[in-house]
């Protein structure tokens, strides 16, 4: 009983500090926050003026002295001060601290980050108010989050296509057997679309528009019914606003290089997989997670390229956060069962 008492005063939260989105899972309340990893600052003072949803609205639309920044790049902290501010703001929103509360944070970090990068994430969390910080590799969290039986002595494979990176991992007995990460994800998809439209039509579009196109008509595999969309931007020759009609075939074509890079990474991982585990994957297949897995037909494309069954995991955008939640729930260290 005594041993459990501190748990009564503990906020235990899991955090997915992503390049595109930050999610917070509260042990007792589930996913309590999901906001873009964006902070708007005043350039003259570098003082943050908005965080999350409010700041994302400002991306590309700010007047001269306001800058909307994304403090995470390629899955790691690019701007220490700003990321700490963001983390503090998000944590403060979900876990009110008092003298009597203990704040335990489980934070998912990309596989393969350096010790220095990991330290930076942990320090940020401590400075944002955590009393205890534990890191876990993102692929483990996302695999657990989509419900893969990672503890079993058999292979599970997860491909997490995020905003900044795609992480591919093969797991067994609760650990990572093989993993690799490439700096290709949703952000690169957006750039590819932007570049295509500029090259083909001399039309310059904003970051938000590119993401919109990807979500509305993006695909990785031919669609039964191809789609079109009106796209607005600025003509690079006349400098005037203009609009055009874009087709899903064109968008797919512009994404192909990035999609092929993901396929190559998946195949390279399979080639490095011990034969006994490779055999398991023939039946168990590959699970997809992350926002990029929502691109239409990406499961089918990867399945055809590998010859394995591929499925999009449940709640792909919440996979890592849900995984940290399950880890919190299963540990007695912070009053779980
Ligand atoms: N329906 C959709 N179709 C295509 N892409 C989508 C969709 N919804 C979200 N995305 C993209 O998913 C990406 C964000 O995914 P996610 O939240 O998993 O990334 P993250 O965890 O923040 O990044 P990382 O894991 O690389 O640090 C963004 O690029 C976003 O545009
Ligand atoms: Mg992620």
């Amino acid at each position: 009983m005594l041993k459990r008492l501190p748990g009564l005063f503990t906020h235990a939260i899991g955090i997915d500090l992503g390049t595109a989105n930050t999610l917070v899972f509260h042990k007792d309340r589930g996913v309590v926050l999901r906001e873009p990893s964006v902070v708007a600052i005043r350039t003259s003072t570098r003082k943050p003026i908005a965080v999350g949803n409010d700041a994302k609205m400002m991306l590309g639309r700010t007047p001269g002295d306001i800058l909307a920044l994304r403090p995470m790049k390629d899955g790691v902290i690019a701007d220490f001060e700003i990321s700490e501010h963001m983390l503090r703001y998000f944590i403060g929103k979900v876990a009110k601290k008092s003298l009597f509360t203990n704040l335990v944070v489980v934070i998912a970090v990309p596989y393969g980050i350096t010790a220095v990068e990991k330290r930076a994430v942990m320090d940020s969390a401590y400075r944002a108010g955590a009393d205890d910080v534990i890191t876990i590799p993102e692929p483990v969290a996302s695999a657990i989050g989509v419900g893969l039986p990672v503890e079993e002595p058999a292979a599970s494979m997860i491909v997490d296509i995020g905003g900044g990176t795609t992480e591919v991992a093969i797991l067994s007995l609760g650990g990572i057997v093989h993993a690799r990460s490439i700096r290709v994800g949703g952000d690169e998809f957006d750039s590819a679309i932007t570049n295509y439209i500029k090259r083909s039509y001399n039309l310059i579009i904003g970051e938000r528009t590119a993401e919109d196109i990807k979500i509305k008509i993006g695909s990785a595999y031919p669609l039964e019914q191809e789609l079109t969309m009106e796209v607005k931007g600025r003509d690079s020759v006349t400098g005037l606003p203009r609009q055009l009609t874009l087709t899903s075939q064109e968008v797919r074509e512009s994404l192909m290089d990035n999609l092929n890079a993901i396929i190559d990474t998946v195949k390279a991982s399979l080639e490095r997989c011990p034969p006994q585990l490779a055999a398991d994957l023939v039946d168990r297949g590959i699970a997809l997670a992350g926002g990029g897995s929502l691109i239409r037909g990406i499961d089918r494309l990867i399945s055809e390229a590998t010859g394995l069954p591929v499925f999009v995991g449940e709640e792909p955008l919440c996979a890592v956060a849900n995984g940290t939640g399950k880890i919190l729930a299963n540990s007695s260290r912070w009053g779980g069962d």
Side-chain angles (χ1 to χ4, degrees):
M1 180 64 191
L2 268 181
K3 240 180 121 202
R4 306 260 311 187
L5 255 181
L8 292 175
F9 301 97
T10 295
H11 277 304
I13 60 174
I15 300 179
D16 172 11
L17 188 59
T19 310
N21 299 299
T22 297
L23 283 81
V24 181
F25 191 110
H26 189 285
K27 188 176 85 63
D28 305 319
R29 293 182 271 144
V31 173
V32 285
L33 180 138
R34 183 170 129 194
E35 295 201 33
S37 308
V38 182
V39 178
I41 61 165
R42 200 168 290 286
T43 42
S44 47
T45 57
R46 280 192 69 77
K47 267 215 161 24
I49 51 171
V51 181
N53 287 324
D54 298 341
K56 187 173 185 185
M57 294 291 294
M58 299 179 182
L59 265 184
R61 286 209 180 103
T62 52
D65 67 332
I66 297 175
L67 193 64
L69 294 174
R70 306 212 320 189
M72 308 296 297
K73 191 163 174 17
D74 300 329
V76 298
I77 294 180
D79 188 321
F80 198 67
E81 208 183 314
I82 302 293
S83 71
E84 189 184 312
H85 178 87
M86 184 175 81
L87 212 48
R88 183 190 300 276
Y89 176 85
F90 288 150
I91 290 176
K93 253 183 139 172
V94 303
K96 292 272 168 294
K97 279 213 61 168
S98 77
L99 271 180
F100 306 104
T101 51
N102 191 35
L103 178 63
V104 179
V105 173
V106 171
I107 190 157
V109 293
Y111 178 79
I113 64 170
T114 65
V116 174
E117 288 167 336
K118 191 194 278 189
R119 192 68 241 170
V121 173
M122 293 180 79
D123 284 348
S124 253
Y126 280 121
R127 279 214 276 265
D131 298 298
D132 202 357
V133 180
I134 299 118
T135 61
I136 58 156
E138 269 173 27
V140 176
S142 53
I144 293 174
V146 300
L148 296 183
V150 296
E151 297 294 335
E152 289 180 12
S156 295
M157 184 162 180
I158 181 92
V159 177
D160 181 342
I161 307 168
T165 57
T166 295
E167 301 210 336
V168 177
I170 297 167
L171 305 105
S172 173
L173 288 169
I176 291 175
V177 177
H178 176 80
R180 51 179 70 205
S181 168
I182 47 164
R183 301 197 159 181
V184 171
D187 292 346
E188 284 294 316
F189 297 167
D190 298 349
S191 309
I193 293 171
T194 306
N195 292 340
Y196 170 83
I197 294 176
K198 173 141 191 287
R199 231 183 20 248
S200 310
Y201 298 106
N202 288 327
L203 190 75
I204 301 173
I205 59 166
E207 214 172 298
R208 297 290 309 273
T209 304
E211 185 183 25
D212 227 32
I213 295 169
K214 173 183 69 180
I215 293 175
K216 291 215 175 95
I217 63 169
S219 64
Y221 201 87
L223 302 173
E224 262 177 37
Q225 187 117 49
E226 296 291 350
L227 305 164
T228 61
M229 179 176 164
E230 297 301 316
V231 174
K232 300 187 186 76
R234 181 164 55 88
D235 190 295
S236 66
V237 180
T238 66
L240 298 174
R242 176 161 74 85
Q243 82 169 25
L244 59 84
T245 306
L246 198 68
T247 69
S248 48
Q249 289 98 320
E250 294 176 277
V251 178
R252 190 161 58 243
E253 189 53 43
S254 73
L255 296 177
M256 265 313 152
D257 285 349
N258 286 321
L259 293 170
N260 284 331
I262 292 173
I263 287 173
D264 288 346
T265 308
V266 170
K267 280 183 163 171
S269 300
L270 288 167
E271 280 160 17
R272 297 290 296 275
C273 181
Q276 199 57 54
L277 293 178
D280 296 334
L281 294 174
V282 173
D283 298 320
R284 294 173 162 234
I286 303 173
L288 305 183
S293 69
L294 293 170
I295 292 265
R296 295 168 188 78
I298 196 164
D299 45 351
R300 193 150 169 207
L301 183 78
I302 298 176
S303 179
E304 282 196 2
T306 57
L308 296 175
V310 176
F311 58 97
V312 180
E314 213 173 286
E315 294 196 290
L317 280 160
C318 298
V320 170
N322 286 340
T324 62
K326 285 185 191 167
I327 291 166
L328 287 171
N330 285 322
S331 175
S332 55
R333 186 165 165 192
W334 33 77
D337 300 315

